[in-house]
Amino acid sequence: MSASRASRFVAAGAPPRIRVSFEFFPPKTAEMEQTLWEAIGRLAPLAPNFVSVTYGAGGSTRERTHATVKRILAETLLTPAAHLTCVAATRAEIDAVIGAYGQAGVRHIVALRGDPPGGAGERYAPHPGGYHNAADLVAGIKRMADMEVSVSAYPEKHPDSPSVAADIDMLKAKVDAGATRAITQFFFENDLYFRYLDRVRARSIDVPVVPGILPVQNFKTTKNFAARCGASMPAWLAERFDGLDDDPATRKLIAVAVAAEQVLDLLDHGVTDFHFYTMNRADLVYAICHLLGLRPAQDQNQSARVGVEKERA
Ligand code: FAD
């Protein structure tokens, strides 16, 4: 923490309470499963607010998402949030997934429209018997169960959206339907987030809009991904990774430096909640959380225990 940051907290009386959440994807193979659980084991002692598990395009990971969430519930004291999309499924099928999550003990869903079955870039058409959009899905979840619902937000607007205003209208519809948190698509220029937040607040949307932070593990992959989801990659970022294609060790150090700079600037501007896209890897995210001041929970706080059978009340 820089001297100016530390002195500001002293002046204010106490450091802010930082809350983090970690996003994982369900593993495809036994090897990927091991990598995921190593990451969960490493990050869990940081006592995240929740950990979320994505839902593959078109429901392709339905069983694996469910299995991962169930294992988190069974073997850790972490609070899981299950992602769910409207794509390629009837309402009855989606309701069955919501019901199964409820029965398994899940109390938090990240509700999404999802990408068209042909992939991002194709025209989206709701399933004829399905939920129409993410706001409709939020309302469906709230009708069925007493669950916390988070939704997506797009500081640079979603590629399907004709304008930022239309995008914020959709966020408003999702919040009016019962969502109590928005998690943003990743971004690299904090000004984009602050400008977006101003517009969201001006539209009387009061829920937390938690910045989604993506540590750049691989610049080329991130660039391709960003192009598909409408996130910009500033020239300075390309410059920082320039010439490091065959130098993973230096790339890692740069990735932490870049993300640290971003989260510490957000912190300086009063942001206290951060959602990390972990890509199922712990090392970069752990280092960034350390810089945010997070430390592993001690014995008295077993909320992050992993790999032991829990005694849930
Ligand atoms: P919405 O918020 O419903 O819509 C985004 C924008 O597109 C809005 O402005 C809306 O008005 C506009 N729009 C929506 N439909 C139309 C239409 N038919 N015509 C014109 N404009 C339209 N994807 C997955 O498959 N699985 C996941 O687990 C997953 N997790 C995610 C988590 C986060 C935090 C984020 C930010 C994204 C995630 N995604 C995931 C990606 C997401 O599914 C895609 O971005 C998808 O294209 C939009 O879904 P949404 O709920 O974000 O869209």
Side-chain angles (χ1 to χ4, degrees):
M1 192 177 292
S2 74
S4 64
R5 212 169 273 127
S7 56
R8 185 181 317 167
F9 293 153
V10 170
R17 184 161 180 267
I18 306 297
R19 296 200 310 175
V20 294
S21 48
F22 302 131
E23 184 171 309
F24 300 105
F25 61 86
K28 257 191 191 150
T29 62
E31 196 185 343
M32 287 166 82
E33 170 121 15
Q34 193 179 337
T35 308
L36 167 67
W37 280 87
E38 279 167 18
I40 292 178
R42 176 92 170 115
L43 292 171
L46 297 176
N49 188 24
F50 62 90
V51 295
S52 79
V53 182
T54 61
Y55 195 74
S60 55
T61 68
R62 185 182 309 180
E63 277 74 31
R64 280 187 278 128
T65 299
H66 198 265
T68 304
V69 166
K70 264 184 91 170
R71 188 169 165 196
I72 290 171
L73 276 167
E75 297 183 21
T76 79
L77 289 174
L78 296 167
T79 303
H83 292 218
L84 182 60
T85 73
C86 310
V87 179
T90 63
R91 276 173 188 253
E93 285 164 340
I94 290 172
D95 289 352
V97 176
I98 299 165
Y101 280 137
Q103 282 203 330
V106 176
R107 297 286 172 264
H108 183 176
I109 289 185
V110 181
L112 303 141
R113 183 199 73 175
D115 286 322
E122 293 224 335
R123 223 180 91 74
Y124 183 86
H127 186 287
Y131 282 104
H132 194 65
N133 57 33
D136 196 19
L137 176 61
V138 174
I141 296 167
K142 295 305 273 187
R143 264 196 307 274
M144 275 188 70
D146 182 21
M147 295 223 193
E148 184 178 353
V149 180
S150 297
V151 291
S152 62
Y154 295 89
E156 298 182 75
K157 101 175 178 56
H158 186 278
D160 285 358
S161 203
S163 63
V164 178
D167 215 53
I168 293 176
D169 284 346
M170 175 53 90
L171 179 60
K172 173 97 174 110
K174 294 188 286 190
V175 170
D176 287 347
T180 52
R181 174 189 298 98
I183 302 170
T184 77
Q185 184 59 277
F186 64 86
F187 57 90
F188 296 104
E189 300 274 18
N190 288 348
D191 281 354
L192 292 167
Y193 169 78
F194 292 124
R195 269 203 300 274
Y196 174 73
L197 200 58
D198 285 346
R199 296 187 71 164
V200 166
R201 297 298 181 234
R203 188 77 175 77
S204 304
I205 300 170
D206 296 325
V207 300
V209 179
V210 180
I213 306 295
L214 177 69
V216 180
Q217 317 217 7
N218 180 314
F219 184 78
K220 274 189 188 155
T221 315
T222 305
K223 195 174 165 195
N224 291 339
F225 189 46
R228 285 203 303 278
C229 61
S232 58
M233 296 284 279
W236 59 259
L237 190 61
E239 175 62 29
R240 288 191 186 177
F241 285 95
D242 182 41
L244 296 178
D245 286 355
D246 300 321
D247 185 352
T250 307
R251 257 190 352 242
K252 236 181 202 181
L253 296 172
I254 302 291
V256 171
V258 165
E261 203 177 330
Q262 180 176 21
V263 295
L264 292 176
D265 180 61
L266 289 167
L267 183 67
D268 269 351
H269 286 84
V271 175
T272 52
D273 287 25
F274 302 88
H275 183 78
F276 288 97
Y277 296 105
T278 69
M279 309 307 284
N280 292 4
R281 304 263 169 191
D283 48 2
L284 302 184
V285 174
Y286 192 91
I288 298 156
C289 287
H290 186 91
L291 287 168
L292 277 171
L294 295 186
R295 298 293 180 269
Q298 299 303 315
D299 282 344
Q300 74 272 15
N301 181 355
Q302 298 204 336
S303 67
R305 203 161 40 130
V306 169
V308 285
E309 203 56 40
K310 292 172 303 183
E311 304 115 39
R312 280 184 183 273

